Amino acid sequence: MLTQDLPRDWWKSAVVYQIYPRSFADSDGDGVGDLRGIIGRLDHLAALGVDVVWLSPVYRSPQDDNGYDISDYQDVDPLFGTLEDLDELVAAAHDRGLRVVMDLVVNHTSDEHAWFLKSRAATDSPKRDWYHWAPPRPGHVGGQPGAEPSNWGSFFSGSAWEWDEATGEYYLHLFSRKQPDLNWENPQVREAVYAMMRWWLERGVDGFRMDVINLLDKPEGYPDGQVPPDGLWGDAFSMVATRPKVHEHLQEMYREVFADHPRAFLTVGEMPGVTIEQARLFTDPARREVDMVFQFEHVDLDSGPGGKFDVAPLSMPRLRENLMAWQTGLADLGWNSLYWDNHDQPRAVSRFGDDDEVWRSRSARTLATVLHLMRGTPYVYQGDEIGMTNVGFTAPEQFRDIESVNYLAEQTATGRTVEEVLPGLSFKSRDNARTPVQWTAGRHAGFTTGEPWIAVADNHHTEINAESQVGVQGSVFEHYRDLIALRHDETAVAHGDVEPLAADHPDLWAYARRHEGTELLVLASFTRETLTVPPGLLEGWAGAEVLVPTSSEAARSVLADGTLPGWESLVLRRVR
C-alpha cells in the first residue's frame, strides 16, 4: 500500500517506470496493448522495485500521433479500455505501493477535440481564441504556397500552419496538422486545463509528466524563423521554446492545482532545448514550478547539421561531459531527471552501448549503473530492464510513426532516394522504442495472441525477454533490481553530492558520490577492451565494499590489479 506521510521531495529516492501502453501488453488479442494488459503485468513492476508508473497517453484520441493528439482529456480511448479500467489500474498499482503519473499534453489538442471544433466553427466563435488563428500573409492568397502567416516548419515536416478555407484563416500546429496548438494567453484555456488536472488528481492520479511544456508561450505576431541551410521551412523551435511566460504559467498551475494538496505528487516537465540555467529556475523548489525537467542535450549530441535523422558520430567523452555538466550544474539547486531513452528515442543499448550479441547484456547493465548512481530521479523505459535493442528496420513499410513516415515522404519528394534516407531513420526512428515489450521467447514475444500493430524484434528468441531473466543472477533485470534497491537503501545515492573523475580518460566513466561520511566510487568501462583504472582513483579504496558489480570478474579485477574488463562496471563503498 502507498505511504502518504512523505517529505515533499520523496521522489529523490524514487525510480519511475514509463509505460507506452500501445506496446506494453495486449490482453484481448487485437494486437495493441491496453490497460488490462498493464494490470496483468503490475507484479513485474513490483518485483523490479520501481516506485512510480508513468503512463503515456491513454485518453480518447484519433491516434494520429499515437495518442498525443487528444480529443477528450477526461475519457479513455476504447483502443485501451475504459475509464473504469483505468480506475482499476490506479487502485491495483496503489495496492502494490506504486504511484501513477499521467501524461499531460496541453500544448495542443486533437483537431477532433470539442474545443477545436467550436473554435473553427466561425471567426466569432466564443472559443475562436482558444487556439492560434491568423490571416494569410499580406499580399498573398490564402491556401497558396507562401501565404502562411509565418515560415515556421512543423516538427513533423511541412508547414506549421494549416489553411482553413471555411473561415479564411490558418491555425498553428507545431506538430501534426491534426494537433492544433492551444492559446495559453487565454485565461479560459488555462482554467479549463487546471480543472481537468484537478479532476484526475481526485481520481487518484499521483502527478503528471508534462509534454513539451516549455513551448506554451508563442511570440506575438509569429515572426519568421531562420531557414537553415538546405532547409525547407523556417526554424519555429527557436521562436517558441522557453519563453518568459512559461514560468508564469507553471507557477499559476502549481497554485491552482497542487498547492497544499494532501497527497504526494510528482511533476516533471518535458522541455526540449532547455539549458542548465533555465532548468535551475524551473526546478528551484522556492519558485514552485515543476519538480524536475526532461532535458534533451545528451540525446541531441548525435544529430548532424541536417537534423535528427542526419546521424553524427558520438564519443563517450562528449556524452559524459554533457551529462556530468548537468550533474554539477544542478548540484546546489534543482533536480535532474535521468534517462537514456523513452518513447521518443531509440534504444539506449543500440545508441549509447554495444548491441553486438556478445556485448549487449554487459553494456545494458553498465549503462544502467552509470545512470542510476547519478544525482537525480532515474526513469526506466519499458524494456530497458531486459536490455531491449533497436529493431533494425530495413524497409519503409516497417515504419509506423508519423514523424518517420512524414520525413521519408518529404525527403524523397526533394529528390533523395529511400536508400539515402533509410539509415538515419532506422537508427533514430521513434518506432525503435515502440516495438512490443518482449515478455517471452514465444510467438510475438508473449505480447499478444493476435498480430501486433508493429513488428516484434527478432532477438526476443534469445535472452532478451523477461521470462528468461527474472530471478536469474547476472541478468539485466536482476541488475536493475539491485540498482533500484540500492537507491532506496543508500542515502548517498539519493542525496549525495557528485564529483566527476578521470574526465580526460577516453573510455572510463568515473564519479564519486558523498553524503554524511559515506563515499561511493562509480567505475564503468565504455569499451570492449580491458582498461586500467588510473591508480590515483583507487587510492584509499583497498578493502572497500563492492556494490552492484556487473560481474564477479569486475569486482575481483578492480581491487586486485586495477583493471576493469570491457563494458563492465561496479560501485565501491566506504565510510569515513
Side-chain angles (χ1 to χ4, degrees):
M1 296 292 292
L2 288 183
T3 299
Q4 292 302 333
D5 185 19
L6 292 172
R8 184 182 179 278
D9 62 352
W10 61 273
W11 29 261
K12 290 186 175 181
S13 59
V15 176
V16 182
Y17 187 98
Q18 182 190 357
I19 288 179
Y20 190 72
R22 176 181 286 267
S23 301
F24 189 69
D26 173 24
S27 70
D28 59 9
D30 67 354
V32 179
D34 48 47
L35 293 173
R36 302 218 66 82
I38 297 171
I39 293 170
R41 295 289 186 178
L42 284 178
D43 287 341
H44 173 83
L45 306 185
L48 185 60
V50 297
D51 307 274
V52 181
V53 175
W54 153 28
L55 289 181
S56 285
V58 293
Y59 311 97
R60 189 173 288 272
S61 165
Q63 302 296 322
D64 184 63
D65 184 23
N66 283 1
Y68 282 86
D69 50 316
I70 298 170
S71 58
D72 188 340
Y73 288 110
Q74 292 175 245
D75 197 7
V76 169
D77 195 275
L79 187 70
F80 301 119
T82 66
L83 191 58
E84 290 72 27
D85 290 332
L86 185 53
D87 288 340
E88 183 179 338
L89 169 58
V90 172
H94 287 176
D95 286 344
R96 291 164 174 79
L98 300 166
R99 287 180 163 78
V100 178
V101 166
M102 298 281 283
D103 237 302
L104 183 75
V105 188
V106 291
N107 174 72
H108 47 266
T109 69
S110 165
D111 65 346
E112 298 181 31
H113 195 290
W115 297 345
F116 187 72
L117 294 178
K118 293 177 182 177
S119 181
R120 78 184 308 175
T123 55
D124 60 353
S125 165
K127 283 190 165 53
R128 185 66 170 183
D129 65 349
W130 280 46
Y131 294 83
H132 294 270
W133 291 93
R137 192 182 291 263
H140 291 73
V141 177
Q144 298 298 311
E148 298 86 1
S150 71
N151 69 354
W152 293 359
S154 162
F155 304 146
F156 287 172
S157 303
S159 173
W161 294 97
E162 183 73 9
W163 174 244
D164 182 61
E165 188 169 356
T167 57
E169 289 190 324
Y170 289 86
Y171 66 84
L172 176 67
H173 60 92
L174 291 177
F175 296 89
S176 163
R177 65 178 180 81
K178 289 183 67 62
Q179 292 172 294
D181 283 51
L182 283 164
N183 178 15
W184 274 70
E185 283 294 295
N186 187 329
Q188 293 178 326
V189 169
R190 302 198 302 274
E191 177 48 40
V193 170
Y194 303 154
M196 173 267 292
M197 295 172 69
R198 290 190 291 265
W199 184 84
W200 279 111
L201 291 182
E202 288 305 307
R203 293 193 83 92
V205 168
D206 303 292
F208 299 95
R209 173 266 187 188
M210 304 174 183
D211 188 67
V212 293
I213 202 69
N214 64 324
L215 306 186
L216 299 183
D217 183 17
K218 310 301 194 292
E220 185 176 355
Y222 315 110
D224 283 346
Q226 183 176 353
V227 180
D230 301 322
L232 301 176
W233 300 95
D235 177 16
F237 181 80
S238 62
M239 309 303 292
V240 301
T242 319
R243 289 173 48 78
K245 281 195 175 178
V246 173
H247 292 286
E248 295 179 25
H249 295 328
L250 289 176
Q251 289 168 4
E252 181 183 70
M253 179 186 290
Y254 183 90
R255 292 193 303 270
E256 295 295 321
V257 179
F258 301 111
D260 302 319
H261 199 282
R263 294 192 292 112
F265 56 82
L266 170 66
T267 60
V268 53
E270 183 199 35
M271 298 188 182
V274 72
T275 66
I276 291 173
E277 287 306 312
Q278 291 167 341
R280 286 169 62 87
L281 295 176
F282 282 118
T283 63
D284 179 352
R287 292 171 60 89
R288 299 296 178 94
E289 296 186 26
V290 292
D291 297 323
M292 61 194 81
V293 302
F294 282 129
Q295 58 89 9
F296 281 63
E297 284 187 2
H298 67 297
V299 294
D300 288 338
L301 293 175
D302 58 0
S303 295
K308 171 179 176 176
F309 297 114
D310 177 19
V311 181
L314 174 61
S315 68
M316 189 281 285
R318 189 175 177 213
L319 177 65
R320 176 185 61 197
E321 179 183 18
N322 179 266
L323 284 179
M324 297 316 287
W326 279 85
Q327 289 287 289
T328 56
L330 296 185
D332 63 327
L333 182 70
W335 196 248
N336 279 289
S337 295
L338 308 173
Y339 74 97
W340 285 126
D341 54 16
N342 56 36
H343 66 289
D344 283 335
Q345 303 295 332
R347 287 288 179 179
V349 174
S350 300
R351 187 181 196 181
F352 303 120
D354 189 332
D355 68 2
D356 179 86
E357 186 174 358
V358 174
W359 300 98
R360 60 194 179 199
S361 174
R362 273 178 276 191
S363 70
R365 285 175 279 143
T366 288
L367 287 171
T369 297
V370 167
L371 191 80
H372 282 252
L373 267 294
M374 287 186 191
R375 183 178 185 271
T377 298
Y379 286 71
V380 179
Y381 179 65
Q382 61 182 42
D384 283 351
E385 77 278 16
I386 55 173
M388 284 180 62
T389 67
N390 277 2
V391 179
F393 297 111
T394 58
E397 59 270 18
Q398 294 175 315
F399 295 98
R400 300 289 182 270
D401 177 42
I402 186 173
E403 179 188 38
S404 299
V405 172
N406 285 359
Y407 179 81
L408 181 63
E410 180 183 72
Q411 292 299 305
T412 53
T414 67
R416 296 183 69 193
T417 66
V418 170
E419 290 72 24
E420 290 175 312
V421 178
L422 196 58
L425 275 179
S426 180
F427 186 68
K428 296 282 282 290
S429 172
R430 301 192 300 181
D431 281 329
N432 283 299
R434 301 177 180 188
T435 59
V437 171
Q438 295 165 203
W439 297 105
T440 73
R443 184 173 181 266
H444 301 321
F447 164 72
T448 181
T449 57
E451 289 299 316
W453 72 276
I454 190 172
V456 178
D458 288 339
N459 59 24
H460 71 278
H461 296 298
T462 67
E463 81 286 353
I464 307 182
N465 65 76
E467 187 178 55
S468 68
Q469 292 192 30
V470 175
V472 177
Q473 186 175 3
S475 69
V476 178
F477 180 90
E478 292 302 324
H479 190 70
Y480 266 87
R481 175 146 56 179
D482 290 345
L483 288 168
I484 293 167
L486 181 62
R487 174 168 290 268
H488 292 157
D489 297 339
E490 175 52 73
T491 56
V493 178
H495 301 285
D497 60 16
V498 181
E499 181 187 1
L501 302 169
D504 58 348
H505 198 291
D507 300 310
L508 176 68
W509 199 317
Y511 58 94
R513 304 293 312 276
R514 300 183 182 91
H515 183 68
E516 296 180 348
T518 296
E519 295 184 64
L520 305 176
L521 176 62
V522 182
L523 301 171
S525 167
F526 273 58
T527 178
R528 296 180 180 185
E529 306 299 323
T530 297
L531 58 79
T532 300
V533 179
L537 281 188
L538 294 173
E539 186 174 344
W541 288 92
E545 181 183 6
V546 179
L547 305 175
V548 291
T550 44
S551 73
S552 57
E553 181 186 4
R556 180 200 60 77
S557 61
V558 165
L559 293 179
D561 57 16
T563 61
L564 186 60
W567 282 112
E568 299 275 15
S569 61
L570 78 166
V571 180
L572 299 178
R573 180 182 185 272
R574 67 185 180 187
V575 179
R576 292 290 190 177

